[in-house]
Amino acid sequence: MSSVAVLTPESFAEHRSGLGDQETRGGVSEDEAYIPTYLEAFPPLPEKGAPGDKSGEPVGAWSKIRPIKSSVITQVFHVPLEERRYKDNSQFGEGEEAKVCLDIMQKTGAHIELSLAKDQGLSIMVTGKLDSVMKARKEIVARLQTQASATVTIPKEHHRFVIGKNGEKLQELELKTATKINIPRPEDPSNQIKITGTKEGIEKARHEILLISAEQDKRAVERINLEKVFHPFIAGAYNKVVQEIMQETGARINIPPPSINKDEIFITGEKEPVAQAGARIRRIYEEKKRKTTTISVEVKKSQHKYIIGPKGNTLQEILDMTGVSVEMPSLESSSETIILRGEPDKLGPALTQVYAKAKSVMVAEVTAPAWLHRFIIGKKGQNIGRITQQLPKVHIEFTDGDEKITLEGPTEEVEIAQSQIQDIINDLLSRMDYTEITIEQKFHRHLIGKNGTNINRIKEQYKVSVRIPPDNEKSHQIRIEGEPQGVQLAKKELLEMAVRMENERTKDLIIEQRFHRSIIGQKGEKIKEVRDKFPEVIINFPDPAQKSDIVQLRGPKNEVEKCGKFLQKVIADLIENSYSVSVPIFKQFHKNIIGKGGANIKKIREETNTKIDLPTENSNSEVILITGKKANCEAARDRILSIQRELANIKEVDVLIPAKLHNSLIGAKGRLVRSLMEECGGVHIHFPSEGSGSDKVTIRGPVEEVEKARKQLLQLAEEKQINNCTVELHAKPEYHKFLIGRGGGNIRKVRDRTGARIIFPTADDRDQELITIVGKEEAIKQAHKELEILIKNLDNVIEDLMIVDPKYHRHFVARRGQVLREIAEEYGGVTVSFPRTGVQSDRVMLKGAKDCVEAAKRRIQEIIGDLEAQVTLECVIPQRFHRAVMGLKGSKVQQITRDYDVQIKFPERDENQGLDLHPQENGDLNSDLREAEPVPRKCDVIFISGRKEKCEAAREALLALVPVTVDLEVPFDLHRYIIGQKGSGIRKMMEEYEVNIAVPPPEQQSDVIKITGLTGNLERARAGILERVRDLQAEQEDRALRGFKLTISVDPKYHPKIIGRKGAVISQIRKDHDVNVQFPDKGDENQDMITITGYERNAESAKDAIMKIVADLEEMVSEDINLDHRVHARIIGGRGKAIRKIMEEFKVDIRFPPPGSDDPNRVTVTGLPENVDNAIDHLLNLEEEYMMAIVESETMAAYMKPPSRVEEEPRGSTKGFVVRDAPWNAPGNKAPDMSSAEEFPMFGTVVAPKQASAWGPKKF
């Protein structure tokens, strides 16, 4: 029979203190008060009521009500601190745990709430539908709780039953236990199942898997139904008993873990071991059921966790030491009743331990204004960190918006921490203050400033905290906290800023959008400079998509005006620098303007400070665009034109034509002037800009063509003045070349006969068929009539036949019929058909317009005539010059081929022949060219084919391209300067002058430099080298003057002062006097000699400057003073900033003793006598000020230091809780010493094990 006694913590405390309200005998002192018996202190529980008792009625009445199940459930579970995956509590509710929970809620649809317990454990409440809650719980356990793993072994044939149909059983098991279960694949011979999850989940999953396996193995399974409350006795403390049974019998025993409310114990294995294990378990059960009884006690719910202990270790410890099982209500339950089950004589010690564990932690509260909390915590938690480091077992919790600070931990340490926090609060209240000011919310962001610059400055300057409410609060209250003086100053400045902002103004500037990017600069660099210059002005540019020209300025009136003027000036500079001018330059000269590696164009850009854009190589445009200031653009234009004039016989003339005729001369879209430029060999005609009123028209180009263009332009202008008519007609584009004729011959005849100007469309014109006729009315009518006849004849398609000797056929069809294509393009698209290869015929068919066919026949006859008159000449040029003659990618020889209408064939390279390396010298042609060799080498002979006179002209042009070599004497000592660093100097000259320069090797000691190249380039290169020689000789003379040396004797003790800190003084002397000052090395014999090198005049002035410093140093004195070494660090300041300021202010040098010095208080001050005295007075004042603060802080630290346990006075002895006739008073037993730390240890203490007592073995 079991009995229950209800014992509250209050009554238990009364028993322990001996202050129970017991009747005492007369005349008996307090020490001799009545001692209760064990049965009186722990009375047995009343017997269970009969079935007819009224006490059972309510239960029966409630049992009749049928419960209504909700579709929404709530589960609460706890994650201990040691099992938490994220243990950083500095930002609880904002860290990874919150992010994980949000993600899980989105995935599962369940609602999750987190709360942090005082033991830093995590309580999680999940609400939702059953399926959602189970999925969310599994995700939470996997992602918020540290994972362990275990394996369970069951027969391979049982695995499929664990998986279930379509894996449903496995999924259900994983959801139910919040674990991940990995079952080996069928082909894997392993029979081990791996379970990953929390310890509790693993136990549940393992139990369920073994249960499934046991059900499938009927031969060796026994299921025993025993009351759940007796399972701890069967398992034993730390599972010792059940492990012992399994070892002895070899059977597997599966006891459901405490979290699973099941009575069934499963035993699996061989039949005989299963029977033995079952018998043992039943004997234990029968024995415990017979001998054990229970008592119930009420303990606050908040203290249950201290009784359970980490991972239930405390319960196991009590069971191990006393043999008593402590039954705790679940964490979800609101019950505070704890049941102790065990043998009667062991319940007392177990109850004592339960209360000892429950009372081992104390909770206290300290009240402080909520605004003061962060000051109590300190910067980065410094204040509170000192307390928690000193008292690590104390947990201190601050709650936002609450004035209470909660402390939790051992009683003694909590009291110390409470006292220290109260002292901090009292100190802060005595010297801290706060105030609130009202400023309209629209000004808040301006108070904060960009990236918080304004508000951060105020915080640092006045050492205060300023809280500006976020925009979503829509509050005007700003709170300032800190020292009273700082709070008032910050309040004053903020209010002044608000007043200024109320008086601010907004100004709109009209700036063309094309300038916005230039004002902002790359990555905002330029606008940042403007904002730094006007920090109080806010500059807003419109979005580029808006295409707005309005730039808004906002800020104080005066600053806005200044900023506006500054931006107007910037815009004016941009407008001035955006002037552009177009310069037409003949295409063939663009590469010369660019120069080798862009040297020429880069030089022009840098020297004129302009932007110069050239058209691309494949573009037909010849115009170079120059952008910048007007004067600079004109200077750049003149330099580019001068390059063109130097390279060719270019002439420039100005023609005066009335401005009113300019538009008619230019024509629609420039067609008329373009046709004139093309007709006159590509001259450039430049009209003044519209509206300038200028009559000057500039013509630039070759001399003959310029004159021709001038006459035609004047004639055209005269015609325009007399009578200007225009008519248009259309013709197929393929007819245009035939109408124009070869070299413009056909169209020139029409113009000469009629006097009208005929303009054909360019490749850029949209209407490619339009032909425009300009001139007098009669002239254009006649020209129109002639052109119409020509076009009509072209439309009359005929076929004709001509005879061409087959030996010439190959020439026409070679190179994929290039000659035939040229004839078709030139003569109105006429088709010329030669016989197919292999057909012996001389008949050639022509099809096209009659005139075109006739013209094509004439052209074919001309070509045949050229072929009949064709000769082949030999041009002997040594093979070593072939590459130079050909030019880059054969450009030079291709130009000769076009100019002289010949074919040029170079021989194959003869790799076996030795190269003749004798160059032409002193401008003479090589003897290879002057004296004909008896039999020229095959590899030197170039063949030229064409008409004889053209072949001879082409041969002369080829010979002119052969490079020659000249000698130039340059002093040997200048050669290395001409070569330059890593050959850069000589490479630059070779690129600039397009020659090869050979400098003799140093061992030859020769003055002769050889220059190889074309004759024109040689002269330029010679002049350039001689100019470089003159510059180098001038530099040598200057170097000799700079080599003057002067030595002075200065006492070495003054050298550091002359050099200065990090060389500042001597560097300034070197810079001011342009000299080099050299101090002696450590090992030099003359340690007092300083050498000055430079111009003689500069060296003398540098000497005077050094001697002046020495004279000032000689007047200085040094004095030693004693400053307490404890103030040295404060006087020096962070990184020496404070001491440098003192030295600069008093113009002295102050030296502190190094670490380990014999006299750590000695400080040396050096300087002029008056300055030294003033500096010493200042240092002594600082010492006095700092020593007061040091003494005060040391006194406070000594006061705040907790007394050690050794120094505590012994408290009066107490009898504690005493009862008579207790079980431990039986013979052979010994009562526990309740004052002993070994018998009743505190949490976290380590106690050395002693010999076992009647209380059983101890486990800590």
Side-chain angles (χ1 to χ4, degrees):
M1 182 182 293
S2 63
S3 60
V4 179
V6 179
L7 182 65
T8 64
E10 290 77 10
S11 62
F12 181 68
E14 289 182 19
H15 281 300
R16 291 189 62 182
S17 61
L19 297 176
D21 188 14
Q22 304 288 343
E23 294 182 3
T24 58
R25 298 179 183 179
V28 179
S29 65
E30 185 178 347
D31 294 334
E32 298 174 356
Y34 172 72
I35 298 174
T37 65
Y38 181 78
L39 291 175
E40 288 173 338
F42 302 101
L45 294 172
E47 293 184 1
K48 189 175 181 181
D53 289 348
K54 293 180 179 180
S55 59
E57 290 178 3
V59 177
W62 282 103
S63 64
K64 294 178 183 178
I65 300 174
R66 187 173 181 181
I68 300 173
K69 293 185 177 179
S70 172
S71 61
V72 176
I73 66 167
T74 299
Q75 280 195 8
V76 178
F77 53 100
H78 186 73
V79 180
L81 174 63
E82 57 271 18
E83 294 184 12
R84 283 178 59 190
R85 178 163 291 178
Y86 307 102
K87 297 181 181 179
D88 183 11
N89 298 325
S90 59
Q91 292 183 330
F92 179 72
E94 300 177 5
E96 290 297 324
E97 288 173 339
K99 292 179 183 176
V100 169
C101 288
L102 284 172
D103 185 42
I104 294 171
M105 285 195 289
Q106 289 175 356
K107 284 183 179 179
T108 63
H111 179 70
I112 302 172
E113 290 183 13
L114 296 179
S115 61
L116 195 64
K118 293 179 180 177
D119 63 349
Q120 301 301 300
L122 200 64
S123 293
I124 305 169
M125 185 170 74
V126 187
T127 305
K129 293 186 177 180
L130 177 61
D131 184 48
S132 300
V133 170
M134 297 302 286
K135 289 181 181 177
R137 186 171 184 272
K138 180 183 176 184
E139 287 281 330
I140 289 168
V141 167
R143 296 172 66 178
L144 292 185
Q145 201 162 354
T146 54
Q147 302 290 292
S149 63
T151 57
V152 58
T153 304
I154 63 172
K156 185 77 175 178
E157 57 269 18
H158 294 173
H159 287 192
R160 62 192 181 91
F161 299 101
V162 177
I163 296 171
K165 188 177 180 181
N166 297 326
E168 292 175 358
K169 184 68 178 176
L170 182 61
Q171 291 177 9
E172 180 187 348
L173 191 57
E174 287 182 337
L175 283 175
K176 186 177 178 182
T177 61
T179 58
K180 175 67 177 174
I181 302 172
N182 291 321
I183 298 176
R185 299 181 67 83
E187 60 268 21
D188 189 345
S190 173
N191 59 358
Q192 290 189 337
I193 296 174
K194 185 176 179 182
I195 309 169
T196 306
T198 62
K199 184 179 178 183
E200 179 183 341
I202 290 172
E203 288 177 355
K204 290 181 181 179
R206 184 176 179 276
H207 171 74
E208 293 291 336
I209 292 171
L210 290 174
L211 183 61
I212 293 169
S213 178
E215 286 177 355
Q216 302 306 317
D217 192 0
K218 299 295 183 182
R219 292 179 298 105
V221 172
E222 184 174 356
R223 180 183 298 175
I224 304 175
N225 278 313
L226 301 177
E227 295 175 58
K228 180 78 176 178
V229 293
F230 291 101
H231 287 191
F233 298 108
I234 295 167
Y238 305 107
N239 290 323
K240 288 180 182 178
V241 175
V242 75
Q243 288 174 3
E244 182 183 343
I245 295 171
M246 286 194 291
Q247 284 180 354
E248 290 179 3
T249 63
R252 291 203 306 269
I253 303 170
N254 184 20
I255 300 174
S259 56
I260 296 179
N261 191 21
K262 286 186 178 181
D263 296 338
E264 292 177 330
I265 297 175
F266 286 89
I267 310 171
T268 60
E270 299 295 330
K271 289 185 178 180
E272 187 175 347
V274 167
Q276 291 175 2
R280 287 279 300 272
I281 290 172
R282 287 188 183 92
R283 283 200 299 273
I284 294 171
Y285 169 70
E286 293 297 336
E287 181 186 356
K288 292 298 179 183
K289 189 172 183 181
R290 186 177 64 256
K291 289 185 178 181
T292 59
T293 184
T294 61
I295 61 171
S296 299
V297 293
E298 298 289 328
V299 178
K300 288 183 180 178
K301 189 74 176 179
S302 61
Q303 293 178 309
H304 284 198
K305 58 179 176 287
Y306 307 124
I307 298 171
I308 296 171
K311 298 183 180 180
N313 282 343
T314 306
L315 295 178
Q316 295 293 328
E317 180 186 335
I318 295 172
L319 178 61
D320 188 27
M321 294 178 65
T322 65
V324 173
S325 170
V326 181
E327 299 168 15
M328 306 292 299
S330 64
L331 293 172
E332 294 84 2
S333 170
S334 60
S335 173
E336 296 185 343
T337 303
I338 298 174
I339 300 173
L340 283 74
R341 186 182 303 274
E343 297 177 13
D345 58 340
K346 295 180 181 179
L347 289 173
L351 184 61
T352 303
Q353 287 206 31
V354 167
Y355 274 112
K357 299 296 183 185
K359 291 286 186 179
S360 62
V361 175
M362 172 187 177
V363 178
E365 291 182 347
V366 179
T367 303
W371 67 270
L372 208 60
H373 284 189
R374 59 192 194 83
F375 296 103
I376 297 169
I377 294 169
K379 190 175 183 181
K380 296 183 179 179
Q382 288 178 352
N383 296 344
I384 214 69
R386 284 196 293 269
I387 297 174
T388 53
Q389 286 175 6
Q390 182 185 351
L391 307 167
K393 296 178 184 177
V394 177
H395 173 65
I396 305 171
E397 183 176 349
F398 293 80
T399 307
D400 287 343
D402 192 354
E403 294 189 346
K404 292 180 180 179
I405 303 170
T406 307
L407 294 84
E408 180 181 343
T411 305
E412 183 179 338
E413 293 191 4
V414 166
E415 290 175 353
I416 296 171
Q418 186 176 9
S419 172
Q420 291 184 6
I421 290 175
Q422 192 61 55
D423 290 342
I424 293 173
I425 292 168
N426 295 338
D427 175 59
L428 289 172
L429 288 173
S430 65
R431 60 184 180 83
M432 300 294 286
D433 192 10
Y434 78 93
T435 185
E436 291 185 348
I437 57 176
T438 301
I439 296 176
E440 288 187 52
Q441 191 184 16
K442 65 181 180 180
F443 298 137
H444 287 186
R445 65 190 185 96
H446 305 301
L447 293 176
I448 295 169
K450 188 176 182 182
N451 297 326
T453 50
N454 294 343
I455 203 67
N456 288 337
R457 178 185 57 78
I458 291 172
K459 287 179 181 178
E460 291 175 8
Q461 184 175 350
Y462 302 116
K463 309 298 180 187
V464 295
S465 171
V466 183
R467 184 190 180 277
I468 297 177
D471 293 341
N472 55 8
E473 289 187 14
K474 296 183 179 179
S475 171
H476 303 312
Q477 296 293 325
I478 296 177
R479 186 183 181 94
I480 310 170
E481 300 165 356
E483 296 181 359
Q485 185 179 0
V487 167
Q488 294 304 318
L489 291 172
K491 174 183 176 181
K492 181 181 177 183
E493 182 163 345
L494 286 172
L495 290 173
E496 287 175 354
M497 289 174 69
V499 170
R500 282 203 305 272
M501 282 184 284
E502 287 175 355
N503 296 329
E504 72 175 10
R505 61 161 294 186
T506 301
K507 182 177 181 179
D508 291 340
L509 285 181
I510 306 299
I511 301 174
E512 289 183 55
Q513 194 181 31
R514 63 191 176 106
F515 294 128
H516 290 187
R517 182 172 292 181
S518 303
I519 296 171
I520 294 169
Q522 190 176 12
K523 296 182 180 179
E525 292 175 356
K526 292 185 179 178
I527 197 63
K528 185 177 182 297
E529 293 176 4
V530 178
R531 284 173 174 150
D532 290 343
K533 191 171 184 178
F534 303 99
E536 296 183 38
V537 179
I538 298 172
I539 306 170
N540 290 322
F541 284 85
D543 191 288
Q546 296 178 357
K547 296 184 178 179
S548 172
D549 294 340
I550 299 175
V551 177
Q552 190 180 71
L553 310 179
R554 188 172 68 253
K557 182 178 179 181
N558 293 337
E559 291 296 309
V560 166
E561 290 297 330
K562 290 178 184 177
C563 184
K565 290 179 181 177
F566 180 80
L567 287 176
Q568 294 285 10
K569 185 180 177 183
V570 170
I571 296 160
D573 291 341
L574 286 173
I575 292 171
E576 185 181 2
N577 289 324
S578 63
Y579 177 81
S580 63
V581 62
S582 298
V583 186
I585 298 293
F586 292 103
K587 193 78 175 180
Q588 62 265 33
F589 299 132
H590 283 199
K591 63 179 182 180
N592 304 96
I593 290 167
I594 295 170
K596 285 285 184 179
N600 292 351
I601 198 70
K602 185 178 178 183
K603 186 177 180 182
I604 296 171
R605 282 170 178 157
E606 290 175 354
E607 292 182 359
T608 61
N609 193 23
T610 55
K611 179 184 176 185
I612 302 174
D613 295 318
L614 287 91
T616 57
E617 283 186 22
N618 52 6
S619 170
N620 293 325
S621 174
E622 296 183 339
V623 175
I624 296 175
L625 185 66
I626 307 172
T627 307
K629 291 185 178 179
K630 185 176 180 181
N632 295 345
C633 290
E634 291 175 352
R637 181 188 62 189
D638 294 342
R639 291 188 60 169
I640 290 172
L641 291 174
S642 67
I643 292 173
Q644 181 178 245
R645 281 193 293 272
E646 290 174 6
L647 294 169
N649 185 19
I650 302 298
K651 181 181 179 183
E652 184 177 302
V653 298
D654 294 333
V655 182
L656 295 177
I657 296 174
K660 63 182 180 180
L661 299 177
H662 288 183
N663 284 340
S664 58
L665 290 175
I666 293 170
K669 298 181 181 179
R671 291 175 62 192
L672 182 57
V673 75
R674 257 201 319 271
S675 70
L676 184 61
M677 288 192 290
E678 289 172 4
E679 189 178 332
C680 298
V683 297
H684 293 139
I685 302 175
H686 177 69
F687 285 84
S689 57
E690 192 173 355
S692 64
S694 174
D695 295 339
K696 186 169 71 173
V697 178
T698 304
I699 307 172
R700 188 185 307 113
V703 178
E704 301 82 3
E705 301 298 334
V706 166
E707 186 59 30
K708 181 179 176 183
R710 187 182 72 83
K711 290 178 179 178
Q712 289 201 23
L713 193 63
L714 289 172
Q715 181 184 351
L716 195 59
E718 187 179 349
E719 290 174 0
K720 291 284 183 184
Q721 278 185 314
I722 298 171
N723 190 8
N724 185 28
C725 294
T726 303
V727 70
E728 296 176 348
L729 76 158
H730 289 77
K732 294 179 181 178
E734 55 266 28
Y735 294 164
H736 290 189
K737 280 195 174 182
F738 179 76
L739 294 174
I740 294 169
R742 194 171 186 188
N746 295 345
I747 206 69
R748 194 179 301 112
K749 290 176 184 177
V750 175
R751 192 187 62 200
D752 291 344
R753 283 197 299 270
T754 64
R757 176 168 297 280
I758 302 162
I759 303 168
F760 286 84
T762 63
D764 298 330
D765 288 338
R766 181 175 298 178
D767 190 350
Q768 289 292 308
E769 295 187 354
L770 181 65
I771 301 173
T772 306
I773 307 171
V774 180
K776 296 180 180 180
E777 187 176 358
E778 293 179 4
I780 64 173
K781 282 182 181 181
Q782 187 180 350
H784 185 270
K785 184 178 179 181
E786 289 190 16
L787 286 176
E788 278 187 333
I789 293 170
L790 287 172
I791 294 168
K792 188 175 180 181
N793 291 338
L794 291 174
D795 289 334
N796 181 20
V797 177
I798 64 166
E799 288 188 5
D800 200 355
L801 177 70
M802 70 178 296
I803 304 300
V804 177
D805 194 321
K807 67 181 180 181
Y808 300 125
H809 289 191
R810 182 182 177 128
H811 174 79
F812 288 96
V813 299
R815 299 190 301 278
R816 297 182 181 180
Q818 183 178 348
V819 176
L820 296 180
R821 283 200 304 274
E822 291 175 355
I823 291 172
E825 288 176 4
E826 190 172 350
Y827 299 104
V830 66
T831 304
V832 184
S833 301
F834 278 78
R836 290 193 302 272
T837 306
V839 177
Q840 294 296 322
S841 173
D842 58 359
R843 295 161 65 86
V844 177
M845 297 296 297
L846 293 89
K847 183 179 180 180
K850 184 178 180 180
D851 293 345
C852 293
V853 168
E854 291 299 327
K857 286 172 68 176
R858 288 194 296 272
R859 176 60 185 150
I860 291 172
Q861 291 295 346
E862 287 177 10
I863 293 172
I864 292 170
D866 290 341
L867 291 173
E868 290 174 346
Q870 180 172 298
V871 297
T872 300
L873 298 182
E874 294 181 355
C875 179
V876 179
I877 297 176
Q879 185 176 336
R880 66 175 180 271
F881 299 125
H882 287 187
R883 182 171 293 178
V885 170
M886 288 182 185
L888 184 64
K889 296 181 181 180
S891 58
K892 293 180 181 178
V893 78
Q894 288 172 12
Q895 187 64 42
I896 292 173
T897 301
R898 286 193 296 269
D899 291 347
Y900 298 102
D901 193 18
V902 295
Q903 293 180 356
I904 301 172
K905 183 179 179 182
F906 280 79
E908 297 291 332
R909 289 185 63 82
D910 188 354
E911 302 295 343
N912 297 324
Q913 293 278 354
L915 293 178
D916 184 3
L917 299 177
H918 298 291
Q920 303 170 48
E921 297 182 0
N922 299 326
D924 294 333
L925 289 176
N926 194 295
S927 58
D928 291 334
L929 305 177
R930 297 182 60 185
E931 299 176 7
E933 293 182 354
V935 180
R937 294 187 304 171
K938 187 176 181 181
C939 61
D940 295 340
V941 178
I942 301 171
F943 295 97
I944 308 170
S945 299
R947 287 188 176 271
K948 185 177 180 181
E949 60 276 11
K950 292 183 178 179
C951 288
E952 290 175 351
R955 180 166 60 180
E956 293 300 323
L958 286 174
L959 291 173
L961 293 175
V962 177
V964 295
T965 301
V966 296
D967 293 343
L968 181 65
E969 286 197 7
V970 174
F972 174 74
D973 58 335
L974 299 181
H975 286 191
R976 60 194 184 98
Y977 301 110
I978 290 174
I979 294 170
Q981 189 176 12
K982 295 182 180 179
S984 60
I986 199 165
R987 232 178 1 256
K988 184 179 178 182
M989 282 193 286
M990 287 194 293
E991 289 174 357
E992 184 177 354
Y993 303 121
E994 297 182 12
V995 295
N996 181 52
I997 302 173
V999 179
E1003 55 268 17
Q1004 291 185 7
Q1005 299 283 315
S1006 172
D1007 293 342
V1008 178
I1009 290 178
K1010 294 185 180 296
I1011 310 171
T1012 303
L1014 300 181
T1015 307
N1017 295 342
L1018 289 177
E1019 290 304 318
R1020 291 171 48 236
R1022 185 203 296 267
I1025 292 173
L1026 291 175
E1027 184 180 354
R1028 176 65 176 150
V1029 168
R1030 286 193 292 272
D1031 293 342
L1032 290 172
Q1033 289 173 342
E1035 287 178 12
Q1036 281 185 332
E1037 294 174 3
D1038 183 67
R1039 201 177 298 116
L1041 293 174
R1042 289 179 63 90
F1044 177 78
K1045 285 189 177 181
L1046 182 66
T1047 57
I1048 56 175
S1049 177
V1050 176
D1051 194 320
K1053 69 179 181 181
Y1054 297 133
H1055 290 190
K1057 293 294 182 182
I1058 296 171
I1059 294 170
R1061 187 170 180 270
K1062 295 183 179 180
V1065 176
I1066 198 64
S1067 296
Q1068 192 62 40
I1069 292 173
R1070 287 169 177 154
K1071 182 180 177 182
D1072 291 346
H1073 302 284
D1074 191 21
V1075 294
N1076 180 36
V1077 183
Q1078 192 69 34
F1079 287 83
D1081 295 331
K1082 287 186 179 179
D1084 288 353
E1085 184 178 349
N1086 298 322
Q1087 286 293 306
D1088 59 340
M1089 301 305 292
I1090 298 175
T1091 305
I1092 306 171
T1093 307
Y1095 292 116
E1096 183 177 0
R1097 182 180 67 258
N1098 295 353
E1100 291 291 345
S1101 61
K1103 173 187 174 183
D1104 295 341
I1106 292 173
M1107 296 311 295
K1108 183 178 183 301
I1109 294 172
V1110 172
D1112 292 341
L1113 292 172
E1114 287 175 346
E1115 294 179 8
M1116 291 184 180
V1117 297
S1118 292
E1119 288 192 25
D1120 294 339
I1121 59 171
N1122 284 324
L1123 293 180
D1124 194 298
H1125 64 277
R1126 290 175 292 177
V1127 303
H1128 288 189
R1130 295 195 182 195
I1131 293 174
I1132 293 170
R1135 298 183 180 180
K1137 187 176 181 181
I1139 195 65
R1140 280 201 300 275
K1141 187 176 180 181
I1142 294 171
M1143 290 193 291
E1144 289 172 2
E1145 181 180 352
F1146 294 99
K1147 294 183 175 58
V1148 295
D1149 180 61
I1150 302 173
R1151 298 290 173 185
F1152 288 85
S1157 175
D1158 295 337
D1159 187 358
N1161 297 332
R1162 186 177 65 187
V1163 177
T1164 304
V1165 185
T1166 305
L1168 296 175
E1170 184 179 354
N1171 295 345
V1172 169
D1173 292 340
N1174 293 336
I1176 290 174
D1177 291 342
H1178 182 70
L1179 291 173
L1180 293 174
N1181 290 336
L1182 288 177
E1183 180 195 28
E1184 183 179 355
E1185 178 184 342
Y1186 292 152
M1187 280 304 297
M1188 290 175 65
I1190 289 171
V1191 171
E1192 183 180 349
S1193 62
E1194 288 179 351
T1195 304
M1196 182 61 70
Y1199 176 74
M1200 296 295 289
K1201 186 176 181 182
S1204 65
R1205 291 175 181 259
V1206 179
E1207 296 173 352
E1208 290 183 354
E1209 294 183 2
R1211 299 180 180 177
S1213 60
T1214 58
K1215 291 180 69 177
F1217 178 41
V1218 182
V1219 295
R1220 290 182 292 113
D1221 301 330
W1224 54 80
N1225 290 335
N1229 290 344
K1230 180 184 177 183
D1233 182 5
M1234 297 185 67
S1235 63
S1236 170
E1238 293 181 0
E1239 300 289 350
F1240 296 93
M1242 303 290 286
F1243 276 146
T1245 60
V1246 180
V1247 182
K1250 291 182 67 178
Q1251 293 180 355
S1253 67
W1255 293 80
K1258 301 180 180 62
K1259 289 210 172 195
F1260 298 96

